[in-house]
């Protein structure tokens, strides 16, 4: 059972990327006039700043419920990354550009330790931002991602092995026939989201996402190992995980142990797993997510 669990978890991120890779490409746009071409930002509310980062091929609209909940007394800065959900793509590696430009955005706006909330790939970006710029980030909330996705199956995996695994994933993604993976996209999203209307919404964002950007961003994340880097994070951190979609492969305590082992070098971290939510916790169990965030922000 443990072997099956590890194999299933190791392929889930790649499956989502493969599904989204079937989307038609969106041409790169001219964003030279922008100070942050690596992301679009929507600002709502007034007060202490909160930066919200969505996941792979997702729009910042995934945070609409969170904005409605928290942006009466706070100011939310909701980003959508370049190349995702119709935002023009940029040249070069996306994730380092997003990280640096978010750091510049925080400095330019003179934010005092903003709260950073990221989902999936967005959680990975938030983690990297907090590790590389520990004096800029306030409280950090990570929604269902891990420091080293490639290490789920083999915790002792080496950097060259990670790169090899990511390269193999890239090759498979680049060889995909878009028609062939339409069914796979829906199958993957159904493992990550419960309600059909939410699945349809996420699928729509995927169709508007740039083919190359999705592949490159997923490859970047699968090649990375932040298990050591998280030790540099000074922010109090809340990690909210999901396991219910994989209940046939293991128990909740098994998943909790896996999450905690990957975050063990992060000081001042709290890890909690939802009982029944899938990967998009903000859709499947927003009440549970808000309750944990409320208590964390007290």
């Amino acid at each position: 059972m443990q072997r099956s669990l590890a194999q299933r978890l190791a392929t889930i991120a790649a499956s989502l990327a493969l599904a989204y890779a079937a989307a038609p490409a969106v041409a790169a746009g001219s964003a030279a006039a922008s100070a942050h071409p690596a992301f679009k930002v929507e600002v709502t509310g007034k007060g202490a700043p909160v930066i919200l980062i969505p996941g792979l091929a997702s729009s910042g609209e995934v945070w609409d419920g969170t904005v409605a909940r928290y942006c009466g007394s706070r100011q939310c800065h909701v980003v959508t990354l370049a190349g995702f959900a119709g935002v023009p793509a940029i040249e070069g590696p996306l994730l380092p550009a997003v990280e640096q430009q978010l750091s510049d955005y925080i400095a330019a706006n003179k934010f005092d330790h903003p709260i950073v909330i990221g989902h999936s790939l967005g959680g990975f970006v938030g983690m990297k931002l907090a590790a590389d710029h520990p004096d800029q980030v306030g409280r950090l909330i990570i929604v269902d991602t891990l420091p080293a996705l490639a290490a789920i199956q083999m915790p002792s995996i080496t950097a060259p092995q990670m790169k090899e695994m990511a390269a193999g994933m890239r090759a498979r993604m680049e060889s995909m026939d878009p028609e062939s993976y339409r069914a796979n996209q829906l199958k993957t999203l159904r493992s990550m989201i419960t309600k059909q209307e939410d699945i349809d919404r996420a699928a729509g964002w995927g169709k508007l996402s740039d083919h190359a950007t999705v592949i490159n961003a997923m490859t970047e994340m699968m090649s990375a190992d932040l298990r050591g880097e998280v030790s540099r994070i000074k922010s109090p951190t809340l990690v909210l995980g999901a396991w219910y979609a994989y209940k046939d492969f293991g128990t909740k305590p098994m998943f909790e142990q896996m999450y905690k082992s990957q975050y063990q070098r992060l000081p001042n971290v709290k890890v909690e797993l939802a009982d029944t939510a899938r990967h998009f916790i903000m859709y499947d169990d927003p009440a549970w997510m808000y309750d944990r965030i409320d208590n964390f922000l007290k």
Side-chain angles (χ1 to χ4, degrees):
M1 182 191 299
Q2 209 160 5
R3 178 180 171 84
S4 297
L5 168 63
Q7 290 173 333
R8 184 69 181 93
L9 288 172
T11 58
I12 186 62
S15 297
L16 179 61
L18 285 166
Y20 281 137
V26 178
S30 174
S34 172
H36 45 80
F39 59 87
K40 179 187 79 172
V41 62
E42 299 286 342
V43 182
T44 304
K46 295 181 180 180
V50 181
I51 297 173
L52 297 108
I53 313 168
L56 183 75
S58 288
S59 166
E61 294 171 17
V62 76
W63 296 115
D64 281 356
T66 308
V67 169
R69 171 86 175 194
Y70 293 105
C71 292
S73 59
R74 295 180 175 88
Q75 185 177 72
C76 287
H77 298 253
V78 181
V79 308
T80 301
L81 305 191
F84 294 170
V87 175
I90 60 170
E91 298 294 331
L94 176 64
L95 303 189
V98 173
E99 180 199 339
Q100 184 57 56
Q101 290 174 33
L102 280 173
S103 174
D104 295 342
Y105 185 78
I106 291 169
N109 287 280
K110 299 180 179 178
F111 291 156
D112 182 13
H113 295 87
I115 297 166
V116 174
I117 306 176
H119 173 239
S120 195
L121 181 93
F124 180 87
V125 171
M127 207 186 311
K128 194 76 167 69
L129 176 70
D132 291 344
H133 307 275
D135 294 323
Q136 282 191 309
V137 177
R139 291 179 179 266
L140 175 64
I141 300 170
I142 297 168
V143 182
D144 208 31
T145 198
L146 293 162
L149 288 177
I152 294 172
Q153 183 174 357
M154 186 168 61
S156 61
I157 191 170
T158 64
Q161 288 171 326
M162 282 188 171
K163 290 186 180 355
E164 182 180 356
M165 181 184 294
M169 183 191 70
R170 174 191 285 280
R172 291 191 299 275
M173 291 163 67
E174 290 177 338
S175 69
M176 291 300 104
D177 177 349
E179 259 329 287
S180 306
Y181 271 87
R182 185 169 298 170
N184 185 70
Q185 179 187 22
L186 291 176
K187 179 181 178 182
T188 302
L189 288 173
R190 286 186 183 118
S191 76
M192 295 185 163
I193 307 172
T194 299
K195 294 180 182 177
Q196 187 61 47
E197 60 264 34
D198 296 329
I199 294 170
D200 293 342
R201 189 180 302 114
W205 297 332
K207 289 177 182 177
L208 293 174
S209 295
D210 177 64
H211 181 95
T213 300
V214 171
I215 292 175
N216 291 338
M218 196 66 230
T219 303
E220 287 176 58
M221 188 165 71
M222 287 294 291
S223 301
D225 186 352
L226 302 187
R227 288 176 295 176
E229 293 186 38
V230 297
S231 64
R232 302 198 304 267
I233 295 176
K234 297 180 180 179
S235 309
T237 303
L238 175 65
V239 175
L240 300 176
W243 75 282
Y244 186 72
Y246 319 113
K247 62 184 184 298
D248 291 340
F249 300 94
T251 64
K252 184 178 178 181
M254 287 171 59
F255 282 89
E256 286 176 334
Q257 180 55 40
M258 183 266 291
Y259 273 80
K260 288 177 180 178
S261 67
Q262 285 223 4
Y263 283 103
Q264 63 183 325
R265 297 183 191 175
L266 200 167
N268 202 10
V269 63
K270 183 174 186 179
V271 176
E272 294 198 53
L273 268 61
D275 285 330
T276 59
R278 298 172 187 265
H279 182 58
F280 282 70
I281 301 174
M282 69 287 289
Y283 284 156
D284 273 16
D285 199 346
W288 180 88
M289 187 180 83
Y290 299 151
D291 178 72
R292 270 59 185 180
I293 293 175
D294 288 348
N295 288 327
F296 179 66
L297 296 180
K298 284 182 181 176

